[in-house]
Amino acid sequence: MRLLLIHAIMAAFLTYFAFQHAITGGMPYTAISATLLFAAVMFILWLSTYFYRRTYFHKLPKLLYFILFFIKELLVANLKIAYDIITPHFRIQPTVMAYPLTAKTDLEISLLANLLGLTPGTLSIDVSEDRSTLFVHTLYLKHGDVQHLKQHIKNGYERRILELTA
Amino acid sequence: METSIDWELVREIISCVFILAGACFMLIASIGLLRFPDFYIRMSAITKGSTLGLGLILMGMAIYFNQPGVLLKVLAIITFTYVTAPVAAHVIGRTAVQNGIAFWGKTNLEEFKGYLMKHRLERHTNQDRYTEEVPPAMMEKDGGAGDAAGKV
């Protein structure tokens, strides 16, 4: 996490420096070219971590994949809710479920609760005092099956979060 | 090369699409705020709609201006909004539960009963019809129960 921040700041400064001193050779100073240059610098820095920080080397692709997955889930969430809103009948079956947490630390639990706030039909309500269950308000259940959704959360979100924070 | 592409126009069209989509999502979320039957469903509809809408509108702006500074600021705003919006939703939802705001009649509360019993909130749940007007006498009682639960 800290390494990612350091790398991002380094890459940003390098990009800025390159444009200031016209090292890029007549490349226009626009968002697209700056993003490409930034990505290239980040890629080289990421390759270099293979020699001194192997965990980071393995985690960064997972992080990127996780961000893409999150954007996809966010779009799906919005389209589902939008479909329900603009058609006359609700297809929702609201349920409050007790989701058994595997995540233990504060960071993991708050990340998971945050994520559930933005993904299809779910809203985290509360964590039990012994931190073993998360109460989640959900709107969409496949065939009224709570276990199915729990499995989906466990394999979809929680596993990825645990992989990233481990 | 007979025809050269007018990149400015392309950028403008893409940013238009982004901004329109964002505005549409926000509009639909606001309609949902009126249409949905209970507080919790409204809450989950409005957080998703407004965060995605805001993100799309800001991205459209960044694409339109096409400057690294603007893009950086936009990405910072998007990151912070996406981190904080669900926190706000969670806190508001939790406060609503603690204050005994009723769930929609069709809500399945089986796994939530233990929690409600523990916090002495069981009589607020699963009313047949979601009503916003609570008789004043009942409201006082609710407030008392909420305070007691808060202390525990």
Side-chain angles (χ1 to χ4, degrees), chain A residues 43-133:
Chain A
F43 182 70
I44 293 165
L45 287 173
W46 171 69
L47 281 184
S48 75
T49 56
Y50 181 76
F51 300 107
Y52 60 90
R53 189 74 72 81
R54 202 62 68 88
T55 52
Y56 176 79
F57 184 77
H58 291 301
K59 266 183 197 170
L60 195 64
K62 276 180 191 161
L63 180 68
L64 288 180
Y65 187 67
F66 180 72
I67 291 171
L68 286 181
F69 171 77
F70 169 70
I71 291 172
K72 186 208 98 190
E73 287 285 310
L74 186 64
L75 279 174
V76 168
N78 272 284
L79 291 175
K80 261 185 178 174
I81 280 234
Y83 182 76
D84 242 348
I85 289 168
I86 55 180
T87 49
H89 298 288
F90 296 137
R91 281 167 184 72
I92 51 180
Q93 166 52 55
T95 306
V96 181
M97 65 175 187
Y99 174 73
L101 282 170
T102 317
K104 284 287 173 285
T105 62
D106 280 350
L107 178 71
E108 290 159 5
I109 295 176
S110 49
L111 263 180
L112 181 65
N114 254 14
L115 205 61
L116 286 176
L118 288 175
T119 45
T122 50
L123 177 72
S124 51
I125 288 181
D126 206 349
V127 183
S128 70
E129 273 160 30
D130 57 352
R131 293 179 171 203
S132 60
T133 31

Side-chain angles (χ1 to χ4, degrees), chain A residues 2 4 8 10-11 17 24-25 35 38 60 68 79 89 93 108-109 115 125 160 162 165-166:
Chain A
R2 202 182 301 145
L4 178 66
M10 269 169 72
F17 182 80
T24 47
T35 313
F38 178 81
L60 195 64
L68 286 181
L79 291 175
H89 298 288
Q93 166 52 55
E108 290 159 5
I109 295 176
L115 205 61
I125 288 181
R160 286 169 215 260
L162 290 176
T165 55

Side-chain angles (χ1 to χ4, degrees), chain A residues 85 87-88 94 96 98 124 126, chain B residues 35 48 66 90 94 108 111 115:
Chain A
I85 289 168
T87 49
V96 181
S124 51
D126 206 349
Chain B
R35 276 203 66 201
K48 292 172 218 344
N66 199 13
H90 167 75
R94 188 172 180 277
N108 176 6
E111 299 190 358
Y115 179 90

Side-chain angles (χ1 to χ4, degrees), chain B residues 5 9 25 30 32 40-41 46 55 61 67 77-78 88 97 99 101 111 136 139 143 150:
Chain B
I5 303 169
L9 186 66
F25 274 124
S30 334
Y40 304 95
I41 305 173
I46 198 77
M61 210 181 76
Q67 284 163 6
I77 297 172
I78 289 179
V97 170
N99 284 331
I101 307 269
E111 299 190 358
M139 203 136 77

